[in-house]
Amino acid sequence: MAVVEQNLPGPGADQERPIGYGRLKRKEDARFIRGKGNYLDDMRLSGMLFGQVLRSPYAHAKILSIDTTRALALPGVHRVITAKDLETLGLAWMPTISYDTQAVLAGDKARFQGQEIAFVVADNEYIANDGVALIDVEYEPLPAVVNARKALDPGAPLIRDDKAGQRDNLASPTWEAGDQASTDRVFAEADVVAVRDIIYPRCHPAPMETCGMIADFNPNTGQLDIYNGNQAPHAHRTVYAQVAGLPEHYIRIMCNDIGGGFGGKVPVYPGYVCAIAASIVAGVPVKWIEDRTGNLAADSFARDYVMHSEMCSKNGKITGLRVDVIADHGAFDSTAQATKFPAGFFHIVCGSYDLQASHVKVKAVYTNKAPGGVAYRCSFRITEAVYLVERMVDALAIDGGFDPVELRMRSFIRPEQFPYETTTGWVYDSGDYAKTMQVALDICRYDEMRAEQKEKIAAGELMGIGVAFFTEGVGAGPRKHMDILGLAMNDGADLRVHPSGKAVVSLSAQTQGQGHETTFAQIVAEELGIPPEDIQVRHGDTDKSPYGLGTYGSRSTPVSGGAVGIVSRRLRDKARMIAATMLETRPEDLAWEKGKWYVRGDPSKSAPMTSIAEYAYSGKPMPAGFEGGLDAQALYDPPNLTYPYGAYICIIDIDPGTGYPTIRRFIAVDDCGIRINPMVVDGQIHGGIAEGIGIALMEVITFDEEGNCLNSSFMDYLIPTALECPGYELGETVTPCPHHPLGAKGVGESPNCGTPPAVTNAVIDALYRSKGIRHMDMPCNPARVWMAMQGKAEPPQ
Ligand code: CDP
């Protein structure tokens, strides 16, 4: 049988196939590795038209006129939609996830290069593209500002003149966390203070599949079917209902397979709204698929934080942190965040250290750049926070003459301090940081590496050892603390066991390649003893799954996983009642062993789940109050975030002649609590390290002075290949999460948090120990490393 075959033990798999948790090959890979995934662009609906977006060539320009005559005259073009048409539908502007407004199609002026100006609907993609080329737009170019530090200069061009009362480019008032007075005191008492200006440059998740949608509005029934790979289908449906005034119960979103999301498929983009509007107007399905340039230049960007930071220590232990950030949100503020936290979770910047005080300030600015930013494999700015704190610890080590590992070891929060409240108000759940660091040091053979480094430096070679230790908060989040656009960040699970004992579990989480079809089946299997191949995981269809906020920020295991654990236990409790009737005993006399209820003291009298399921649907007598059947529902509101952590070490060699960095070794030791499927966890870590290497060494979205995006194709936006990635050396520690039903913490974004600082610290370690260079910003590509070696490294624009 194919399902069994695909799970035969292979390299890395346990010899025994697990019933519950354990290394189990991913069910979904059977179709993915055969090229049988079903992605949006594979779909063709009868009578479907195709949409394409005209984008602004200017970063900032008044739109004097838009003439669609020539485009409309092209045979095969059905409609050209502009801002004026959208105004009549009330769709010219849409709310963003950060309570700002964003032009769906620009009517008054273009505010970033690549902004959506018009939408052509045609018989096929080719005619739609030709139609786009025939739209005549008269622009009056305006000066652009693409540098966040210059956006607040007096005389900087005003970007958001559409907003009443907006006089400057400030997108948000300054948001603060921590305590300024006590931080000043700790700094006054410190014996070493390190100061750095650090930039986390604009980068992009660059998923294989770009964004897209098929909107299928039926004018006869009023039903709107949407096919769209997004990470939060239920929330999207609610947003469409609110924005377009459509009845929510007449909207159905179906996701199919998704070719990577990484946070970039959380927001609602103008192309989606255009596809919906076009289908409503045309009365037929309309498909829009974004091209690569549109994806890189106009949406999904991440990071873009300009950070001034000071860290201090006393007697070799880190004591205080001061941070002042300018967040560049582009032309419209659509940064992903929970409502109460305008800077996302950035204030987790205290990291893994027992600080005496900290003070954090963040303000956001508008620039003539694409709007955002998305939480790229990140819980709302945690990645930026981890990068900052881990760069600052290394800066303090350099300035104070400490070994970066010893400084961390002396400053870690100790195991007995958990639950631990940070100076910015986070309550970390559990951890043993020194132990995890030690596992990484042992794998690395740290002292040996340092000895080798000394020899290399003496021989004129450049070798760096970069350390990073991260703690992040994932699993947003508790209803009492957070929501998005007023929606509680909870997730649901429905579970039904059929008469045959086979089960279906429906989730509000939405996989984009993380293996949910396997791992969520394993959770049910662990709880009920049903083999994972007998459990189907359903998601991605709002008509067939319970309400919930979806998958981003590694929240699937912490929130949806919690829901699945609870729903399984509810069903198991029902099964107990039925088993008691079957075995003619009282429920309290039964004990559970994986897969069956048995009479305590007489295990020969038992009812396995398959028999209980068969009985539950039979005509036989039911326990009092039972109507028969075997199903359960749950909605999980987590009491706290979960706090995974990890120790990463990167060994890098730099060519002294060219500045070319080569990662020789990469060690990652993660603690994500109980691992449901350690093989899937390893896969998550492998992928995230590769992304982190890309961010640290090559990926950046930059602009020239006029606001032209210089990295809008894969010729200029470099993503890593296997050649740039070493074989990873993974280790693990397991500290269960005390408040999570499964003891698990999220893991997906961890490697994207830990890798950029580990790699950058390694580059700087090499440059400092050989040449005395104390800082450089990412990306550490050969040209920039070489410039740094000449003492000329500029921050990225
Ligand atoms: O939200 P997202 O799925 O991206 O992140 P996650 O909750 O960290 O889960 C990523 C994948 O790793 C899922 O398939 C999880 O079931 C799996 N995982 C696991 O097996 N054990 C953990 N402790 C955490 C995640």
Side-chain angles (χ1 to χ4, degrees):
M1 219 176 78
V3 173
V4 174
E5 247 176 52
Q6 81 192 35
N7 279 314
L8 286 175
D14 289 345
Q15 288 308 301
E16 297 268 317
R17 203 155 52 80
I19 288 289
Y21 300 165
R23 302 183 87 88
L24 181 69
K25 287 187 180 175
R26 303 192 330 169
K27 286 183 190 185
E28 47 269 70
D29 286 347
R31 64 177 189 278
F32 291 149
I33 60 175
R34 292 181 176 103
K36 302 288 183 198
N38 185 23
Y39 299 93
L40 185 70
D41 209 21
D42 297 327
M43 287 190 66
R44 290 274 187 277
L45 299 187
S46 145
M48 187 166 80
L49 299 178
F50 295 79
Q52 192 50 276
V53 172
L54 169 69
R55 298 184 180 280
S56 168
Y58 293 104
H60 203 191
K62 264 194 198 144
I63 297 172
L64 302 179
S65 66
I66 303 176
D67 186 348
T68 58
T69 319
R70 288 195 307 135
L72 281 168
L74 184 72
V77 168
H78 290 249
R79 286 170 197 272
V80 180
I81 297 173
T82 63
K84 272 208 183 102
D85 305 305
L86 291 182
E87 263 163 36
T88 60
L89 294 169
L91 291 176
W93 291 78
M94 62 181 192
T96 71
I97 204 168
S98 294
Y99 294 92
D100 196 0
T101 47
Q102 176 172 357
V104 175
L105 292 173
D108 55 343
K109 69 174 187 176
R111 293 178 170 85
F112 66 93
Q113 189 187 54
Q115 188 177 354
E116 299 78 2
I117 306 285
F119 191 74
V120 175
V121 185
D123 281 341
N124 61 44
E125 299 94 319
Y126 309 102
I127 300 175
N129 277 319
D130 290 347
V132 161
L134 292 173
I135 300 172
D136 298 303
V137 186
E138 211 184 330
Y139 296 99
E140 180 187 313
L142 299 167
V145 57
V146 290
N147 184 321
R149 286 147 287 173
K150 294 183 184 162
L152 294 178
D153 286 353
L158 180 64
I159 298 165
R160 296 301 303 275
D161 45 351
D162 57 291
K163 291 179 81 171
Q166 183 84 32
R167 302 261 176 274
D168 54 24
N169 290 321
L170 208 53
S172 74
T174 298
W175 185 77
E176 294 185 52
D179 185 285
Q180 186 165 11
S182 51
T183 305
D184 290 348
R185 218 170 20 253
V186 166
F187 269 84
E189 290 164 2
D191 48 31
V192 184
V193 176
V195 183
R196 295 289 188 279
D197 285 306
I198 295 178
I199 291 187
Y200 202 133
R202 184 172 274 233
C203 60
H204 198 288
M208 286 221 280
E209 184 193 35
T210 58
C211 298
M213 175 182 279
I214 299 173
D216 182 9
F217 181 72
N218 183 333
N220 302 317
T221 61
Q223 172 76 24
L224 174 64
D225 283 348
I226 290 174
Y227 303 87
N228 164 240
N230 75 77
Q231 298 177 227
H234 290 276
H236 273 218
R237 183 177 58 171
T238 302
V239 169
Y240 293 135
Q242 285 167 358
V243 173
L246 297 166
E248 192 167 1
H249 57 304
Y250 275 83
I251 303 175
R252 178 179 181 189
I253 299 185
M254 288 158 278
C255 284
N256 297 341
D257 290 323
I258 301 179
F262 309 112
K265 288 180 181 153
V266 172
V268 170
Y269 294 119
Y272 299 165
V273 180
C274 288
I276 293 171
S279 180
I280 292 173
V281 171
V284 293
V286 174
K287 179 183 199 171
W288 167 68
I289 299 278
E290 192 183 41
D291 61 19
R292 182 59 62 189
T293 296
N295 185 249
L296 282 170
D299 64 50
S300 309
F301 95 82
R303 325 295 191 232
D304 218 344
Y305 259 36
V306 179
M307 309 181 274
H308 175 81
S309 181
E310 298 167 34
M311 181 179 265
C312 64
S313 63
K314 175 104 188 193
N315 301 327
K317 183 177 177 296
I318 309 168
T319 47
L321 180 69
R322 240 190 231 132
V323 188
D324 194 350
V325 173
I326 303 175
D328 185 340
H329 288 181
F332 306 99
D333 184 3
S334 57
T335 189
Q337 63 187 21
T339 304
K340 274 190 218 161
F341 305 98
F345 298 165
F346 181 77
H347 54 308
I348 200 166
V349 70
C350 302
S352 316
Y353 310 105
D354 181 25
L355 304 185
Q356 290 176 15
S358 63
H359 184 235
V360 181
K361 288 198 284 188
V362 185
K363 62 172 169 279
V365 298
Y366 292 120
T367 56
N368 290 112
K369 289 150 86 172
V374 303
Y376 168 20
R377 211 165 182 163
C378 160
S379 282
F380 314 116
R381 305 294 182 178
I382 283 183
T383 310
E384 289 89 326
V386 167
Y387 181 72
L388 179 81
V389 68
E390 289 308 294
R391 278 290 306 112
M392 285 310 295
V393 176
D394 261 39
L396 191 66
I398 285 179
D399 293 0
F402 309 120
D403 177 87
V405 170
E406 280 169 23
L407 179 60
R408 285 177 171 86
M409 285 289 208
R410 277 196 296 269
S411 308
F412 279 148
I413 299 160
R414 295 184 308 281
E416 65 275 16
Q417 290 178 286
F418 290 94
Y420 176 89
E421 183 166 353
T422 71
T423 46
T424 47
W426 296 90
V427 181
Y428 294 179
D429 50 13
S430 60
D432 187 343
Y433 295 162
K435 179 171 147 195
T436 306
M437 187 81 240
Q438 192 56 53
V439 174
L441 295 173
D442 292 346
I443 297 174
C444 171
R445 304 181 311 277
Y446 185 71
D447 293 338
E448 227 176 89
M449 288 291 119
R450 284 282 177 216
E452 183 190 328
Q453 187 185 33
K454 267 197 186 133
E455 286 168 21
K456 288 242 155 107
I457 291 170
E461 292 175 42
L462 294 174
M463 170 184 166
I465 303 169
V467 178
F469 195 99
F470 63 87
T471 298
E472 38 161 3
V474 304
R479 183 185 284 263
K480 57 186 179 224
H481 293 314
M482 50 196 74
D483 66 86
I484 288 191
L485 293 173
L487 302 170
M489 300 189 76
N490 299 163
D491 273 284
D494 290 355
L495 176 59
R496 173 163 304 151
V497 179
H498 297 297
S500 59
K502 317 269 184 205
V504 172
V505 62
S506 308
L507 315 172
S508 49
Q510 175 56 50
T511 191
Q512 312 120 52
Q514 297 96 323
H516 291 180
E517 288 168 45
T518 306
T519 52
F520 282 89
Q522 286 183 271
I523 298 174
V524 178
E526 177 79 17
E527 298 292 335
L528 296 183
I530 300 173
E533 63 267 27
D534 288 348
I535 301 159
Q536 196 200 10
V537 176
R538 273 205 192 135
H539 47 202
D541 182 337
T542 51
D543 272 12
K544 292 187 181 165
S545 57
Y547 201 94
L549 280 217
T551 293
Y552 37 87
S554 298
R555 64 187 298 283
S556 301
T557 305
V559 190
S560 211
V564 173
I566 286 170
V567 84
S568 303
R569 288 168 197 174
R570 275 190 192 154
L571 191 137
R572 194 167 70 199
D573 288 345
K574 273 193 179 176
R576 179 185 205 160
M577 306 296 286
I578 296 168
T581 305
M582 289 168 73
L583 299 169
E584 296 175 341
T585 183
R586 294 176 316 164
E588 54 270 34
D589 293 335
L590 295 179
W592 172 258
E593 192 186 277
K594 250 187 187 178
K596 64 179 183 211
W597 284 107
Y598 67 91
V599 178
R600 236 183 272 275
D602 185 1
S604 67
K605 281 192 187 152
S606 69
M609 274 305 289
T610 39
S611 312
I612 298 172
E614 193 183 352
Y615 188 98
Y617 291 91
S618 72
K620 295 179 183 153
M622 288 294 136
F626 269 65
E627 290 169 334
L630 196 53
D631 55 27
Q633 289 77 39
L635 182 81
Y636 182 60
D637 178 27
N640 189 5
L641 301 182
T642 68
Y643 292 86
Y645 57 90
Y648 286 12
I649 305 179
C650 174
I651 312 284
I652 210 158
D653 297 307
I654 297 177
D655 185 313
T658 63
Y660 192 97
T662 303
I663 298 179
R664 193 198 321 165
R665 294 180 65 201
F666 198 97
I667 295 101
V669 180
D670 278 86
D671 192 320
C672 58
I674 302 295
R675 294 178 177 214
I676 294 151
N677 184 329
M679 185 192 287
V680 168
V681 170
D682 287 355
Q684 292 289 303
I685 294 167
H686 286 189
I689 296 174
E691 287 182 330
I693 288 174
I695 292 168
L697 295 187
M698 55 192 82
E699 298 182 30
V700 65
I701 296 207
T702 48
F703 299 82
D704 68 14
E705 287 285 319
E706 289 170 355
N708 294 305
C709 179
L710 304 179
N711 312 84
S712 56
S713 83
F714 281 152
M715 289 292 288
D716 302 304
Y717 190 81
L718 300 184
I719 53 175
T721 68
L723 290 180
E724 286 82 31
C725 300
Y728 308 126
E729 299 169 62
L730 305 188
E732 68 173 69
T733 57
V734 176
T735 311
C737 174
H739 62 77
H740 187 266
L742 315 175
K745 306 180 179 188
V747 77
E749 71 190 36
S750 294
N752 204 316
C753 286
T755 304
V759 175
T760 309
N761 284 345
V763 170
I764 295 171
D765 185 63
L767 297 181
Y768 173 67
R769 286 174 197 254
S770 299
K771 302 191 176 296
I773 293 158
R774 287 166 186 256
H775 176 69
M776 78 168 287
D777 285 309
M778 298 187 291
C780 304
N781 60 32
R784 289 173 50 79
V785 172
W786 190 84
M787 291 295 279
M789 284 157 64
Q790 319 309 312
K792 292 179 188 158
E794 293 287 324
Q797 178 72 285

